[in-house]
């Protein structure tokens, strides 16, 4: 499966993949392709993981680890 995952990542940022992403109402990273879908995907304030959590490690701990935000939201009641 590693080979397939690597191939997917190589494809993900190509123009063809970015077009597919935009057509399905996801936000392309390619600015030129994003512009094509501007009527459906208006500009949003963006932020980085570092701005929110300080680092990817801290984001993983704070939001996705056992007892983190994501875990708390999806607790079975």
């Amino acid at each position: 499966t590693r080979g397939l995952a690597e191939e997917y990542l190589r494809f993900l940022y190509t123009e063809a993949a970015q077009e597919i992403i935009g057509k399905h109402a996801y936000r392309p990273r390619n600015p030129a392709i994003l512009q094509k879908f501007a009527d459906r995907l208006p500009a949003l304030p963006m932020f980085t993981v570092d701005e929110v959590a300080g680092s990817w490690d801290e984001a993983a701990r704070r939001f996705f680890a056992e007892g983190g935000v994501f875990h708390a939201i999806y607790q079975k009641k």
Side-chain angles (χ1 to χ4, degrees), residues 6-71:
E6 289 173 349
E7 193 61 35
Y8 168 76
L9 291 174
R10 278 191 286 277
F11 176 69
L12 187 59
Y13 296 100
T14 65
E15 288 188 11
Q18 293 288 292
E19 286 280 347
I20 293 168
I21 288 166
K23 286 178 186 174
H24 292 281
Y26 290 96
R27 196 167 293 275
R29 295 276 300 170
N30 180 313
I33 295 174
L34 176 59
Q35 186 60 39
K36 290 181 182 181
F37 298 97
D39 61 323
R40 293 181 9 189
L41 301 169
L44 293 173
M46 304 299 272
F47 52 85
T48 67
V49 171
D50 289 341
E51 290 169 333
V52 173
S55 70
W56 278 102
D57 288 339
E58 178 60 17
R61 186 193 66 71
R62 187 185 312 170
F63 297 106
F64 302 108
E66 187 75 24
V69 173
F70 188 79
H71 183 254

